[in-house]
Amino acid sequence: MLKGKVAIVTGSTSGIGLGIAKELAALGADLVLNGFGDAGDIEAIRRGIEREHGVRAAYDGADMSKGESVRGLISTTIAKFGRLDILVNNAGIQFTAPVNEFPPPSGTQFWRSIYRPRSTALRQRSRK
């Protein structure tokens, strides 16, 4: 169904993003994985997707909170695969702690760091 299409899934080295990437691969899309994590683990994920689904999969560790990195991710994808058809904006960071340990919500660096990757990435990608 998606044979010949190319997808970037940000935040796809684990969790929901990885699930989305695997589903796109199962439908035939070539992929660019993106996110943070152990290099060996990410490479094993990338190879596993290629092997299991017969698609091409690449990895780009671009930081979605930095505009230049986002633009580089798009350019690198197009240079490698010749196109970009699908973009899933899933990147984000998480803070795991009991609710009473969360910082106050307004104006803190903590909350800016949570939301900046998504808003920066969205703005940068929509400019093209």
Side-chain angles (χ1 to χ4, degrees), residues 64-123:
M64 295 296 99
S65 70
K66 296 180 171 57
E68 193 59 41
S69 290
V70 174
R71 289 186 294 276
L73 171 63
I74 302 294
S75 299
T76 300
T77 298
I78 293 170
K80 181 172 185 66
F81 292 102
R83 60 189 299 153
L84 174 60
D85 304 290
I86 301 164
L87 178 60
V88 179
N89 186 31
N90 177 71
I93 61 171
Q94 62 183 337
F95 182 75
T96 54
V99 131
N100 62 335
E101 293 179 17
F102 271 60
S106 61
T108 67
Q109 180 60 36
F110 166 77
W111 289 101
R112 284 191 294 275
S113 70
I114 295 281
Y115 293 108
R116 184 173 290 139
R118 287 194 175 143
S119 64
T120 299
L122 184 60
R123 280 193 315 274

Side-chain angles (χ1 to χ4, degrees), residues 22 25-26 46-55:
K22 287 180 176 180
R46 188 198 67 74
R47 279 194 320 263
I49 288 171
E50 285 187 330
R51 185 175 51 252
E52 183 175 342
H53 301 292
V55 299

Side-chain angles (χ1 to χ4, degrees), residues 17-68:
L18 180 55
I20 293 168
K22 287 180 176 180
E23 191 60 31
L24 290 169
L27 294 171
D30 294 323
L31 295 174
V32 176
L33 302 170
N34 164 264
F36 301 129
D38 177 78
D41 292 344
I42 294 168
E43 177 59 16
I45 290 166
R46 188 198 67 74
R47 279 194 320 263
I49 288 171
E50 285 187 330
R51 185 175 51 252
E52 183 175 342
H53 301 292
V55 299
R56 297 176 296 164
Y59 168 73
D60 189 308
D63 182 341
M64 295 296 99
S65 70
K66 296 180 171 57
E68 193 59 41

